[in-house]
Amino acid sequence: MMKLFWPKNIEIEVAIEQLSSNQPNQPFDQEVEAFTQSLSKRFLRMRELPEVVALGYWLRKANIKEMQTAFEQGTVQKIIRSRGTVFHIAPSNVDTIFVYSWMLSLLAGNRNVIRISSKEQNGLNVLLQIIIEELARTEFQKIAKQTIICTYGHEENTTAVLSAACQTRVIWGGDETISSIREIPLAPLANELAFPDRFSLAVLNSDVLSKLDEVQLDSLLEQFYNDVFWFDQMACSSPRLIAWCGDNQQAVNRFWKAFAQKIQQKQYELMAATQVLKYTTTLMLATESNVENLKNGTYFSRVTLSNVPVDVRERHCGGGLFYEYNVDKLEELADVLIDKDQTIAYFGFKREELESLVEAISTRGIDRIVPIGKALDFNGVWDGQSFLTSFTREVVII
Amino acid sequence: MIAPYHLEREQKSAQLLDKLNDLTKWHIEKCSDYKAMLEKSGSVEQANSLEEVPYLPVQLFKLLDLKSISQEDVVKVLTSSGTTGQQVSKIYLDKETSVSQTKTLVEVMKPLLGSKRLPMIILDTKSVLKDRKSFSARGAGILGFSNFGRKHFYALNDDMSLDVEGLQAYLKEFAGQKILLFGFTFMIWQYVYKEAVSHGLGIDFGDSILIHGGGWKKLKDEAVDSLTFNRLLHEQLGIREVHNYYGMVEQVGSIFVECSMGHLHTPSYADVIIRNPITFEPVAYGEQGLIQVLSELPKSYPGHSLLTEDLGTIHGEDNCPCGWKGKYFSVAGRIPKAELRGCSDTFQGGTK
């Protein structure tokens, strides 16, 4: 069922026609910037929804200005125009992702069509409510006319119509979704950004870890907790594999013990079905030769690996399951990294060491290396590509 | 005392523990996957109590082919019922396990059905038995229970419609005799009871005893519990004695049938343990938790100790007013599904 959240009381075909008749903007248009500030203020107040607060924080004035400065520095003496209409297909899980995608496209100057998931979501309705209220304000009339927000089931026809009408298509979703949407043709001049399933890890230096006092360890665990559990360990960039570097086993034991206490203290809601699923998954993994041993605890399960084959990544069930893998030197981690691997959250390494690791990676893998605690932070460069670049085009005059 | 509900706690748990320990050892030797699971998780091989016996989650049989016999020795493969697209469990039986399953079922039901074969009406279609080597849970159940009856009559046509004429002729033929009725809870509700109501059929099953199982999930949606079910079946169809049973295809030998007080009972060769759904620690009687089932029968596959996804409560042991010994319990239904938000499927929920 097609449902149009914005504009209201109008058919989708008419909405597309109206949208296309409005001129796109210059990058970093003033009304757009004002709109982002307005949203930022409202999102920051949603204390009970940390991912919405994070979005509000990302949209704050200083960050937008910083993006603008960087963008303008990179495009000095160049003529940059928006692409036209960007069609965003948002995933069903990370409620806020469509807003990031849309905001960057808006900042680039585009008109936007957003297809949000038809699945009912708790956070989404509140988020959508705020957005619609803001779009309805007279000072944002221009943006309102350049925006369509809709949801529909698996009606390929709508996807086909929107794909033909846009200059850029953005697909957030699993591998299957991407391949099925890619069967639907885009307009010949359109480009596409696809964000498929990824796998992420954390790497910790146990020698450095052993030197932390209780307060420092607690603060690290707080960060690690956020990375892991904000999205039940199910976001692309949530760490699922923990690589240990160094050989201080005592520090490793202390880390896990304190982490169990942290989860308990955070009152993370454990669910029976997840507990059974973790138990099932670990036992199934035990039949693999690459699995050395496993420990099932109440708060999380740990599976020690002697190698990290592709299928082990596929079997990860989220909800507090950690694969562990040991390396003597950070660079050795490169041997097990595959195309699918996206983010490394790290602790206890210098920039040069991380740079050598990147150099040692021979696959397509790894697009982000961030300190533990920043794994879920959204950035204008994602999966190796810059949104503002992909959402704009350069006009050459010679 | 009535076997197999005759053993009291101490004697029963000691006997059962020995047998379960032997089975653990046997499966470690015969099933390399099982061995890897126990070894790598550091589980005890020789348990000192029933609670210590290592348990596998039932879902594992959907993900792995687990067996402790060679492929040539497989005489039967049981599969769990599942809606299309779902993975089903595959349970491999050899001659020995298959025979002991049949024998055990007879013993479990004997206190209710006696040893004489009764005229039997199966409240299902005959077509579920088509494949003789691979059995769905429904097929396996029907086949197993068929041994208690004679002159089997299948009350449903292949299109699930009720064979009213055939049924009435059968009831006429055996009027005045005790008849055994068997079927699956939901099938009986949907295709027998509701049919009878909507067509105003006044069927009287007379002096009959109904044994049914398969779960209450769908009936729960219609807010029908066991007491309502029994009452309505009595009112509409004249069925006087109804016994529900709890069991699963993944564990042969675990058939827990309701006594005259309406409690599910554990026979001497099977048991249940209730565990906290989060920590998996055993909980006290009276407390609800995940049901773990134990059975001394599964020898052809490592299914002697299984953690289910069902919630239940043990109400007592050896002191049920019905006179049967053993633990008695009730089942509350499935644990709610986990909805972890994954970075997948934009189109989740849509049909292709």
Side-chain angles (χ1 to χ4, degrees), chain A residues 51 89-93 95 115 117 119 154 159 172-174 176-177 181 197 230-232 234-236 270-276 279-280 283-284 286-289 291-294 298 317-319, chain B residues 32-34 36-43 54-60 63-64 66 277-280 290 307-309 311 335-352:
Chain A
E51 65 265 36
I89 298 169
S92 59
N93 62 323
D95 311 344
R115 187 263 181 194
S117 164
K119 225 168 123 188
H154 201 79
T159 304
W172 295 91
E176 269 182 53
T177 304
I181 291 174
D197 294 331
W230 259 26
F231 290 108
D232 298 321
M234 294 295 271
C236 301
L270 295 163
M271 286 177 298
T274 314
Q275 299 297 84
V276 176
Y279 185 58
T280 308
L283 288 180
M284 180 172 65
T287 64
E288 302 253 344
S289 61
V291 171
E292 285 178 349
N293 63 63
L294 49 103
T298 298
C317 64
Chain B
S32 57
D33 281 349
Y34 182 75
M37 289 178 207
L38 260 57
E39 277 183 0
K40 291 179 185 179
S41 63
S43 304
Y55 47 86
L56 301 187
V58 166
Q59 300 94 292
L60 214 46
L63 303 165
L64 297 168
L66 297 170
I278 304 297
T279 65
F280 298 166
L290 282 175
L307 186 68
T308 73
E309 284 188 294
L311 291 168
I335 49 172
K337 268 198 187 156
E339 293 273 0
L340 294 185
R341 305 178 289 182
C343 255
S344 60
D345 290 329
T346 319
F347 278 155
Q348 219 165 28
T351 45
K352 283 217 167 168

Side-chain angles (χ1 to χ4, degrees), chain B residues 106-167:
Chain B
V106 171
E107 285 173 24
V108 171
M109 298 310 298
K110 214 176 183 175
L112 290 180
L113 302 176
S115 42
K116 229 180 85 198
R117 284 177 171 235
L118 304 171
M120 181 170 182
I121 299 173
I122 293 144
L123 302 166
D124 210 318
T125 77
K126 203 169 185 174
S127 58
V128 287
L129 296 176
K130 258 184 258 162
D131 188 351
R132 289 266 157 176
K133 177 95 181 172
S134 171
F135 295 95
S136 65
R138 246 167 79 203
I142 289 170
L143 218 66
F145 276 92
S146 293
N147 294 323
F148 298 103
R150 59 188 170 91
K151 298 267 184 184
H152 304 100
F153 174 75
Y154 288 81
L156 298 183
N157 298 312
D158 281 0
D159 63 355
M160 296 310 223
S161 63
L162 190 59
D163 179 3
V164 182
E165 268 177 44
L167 194 58

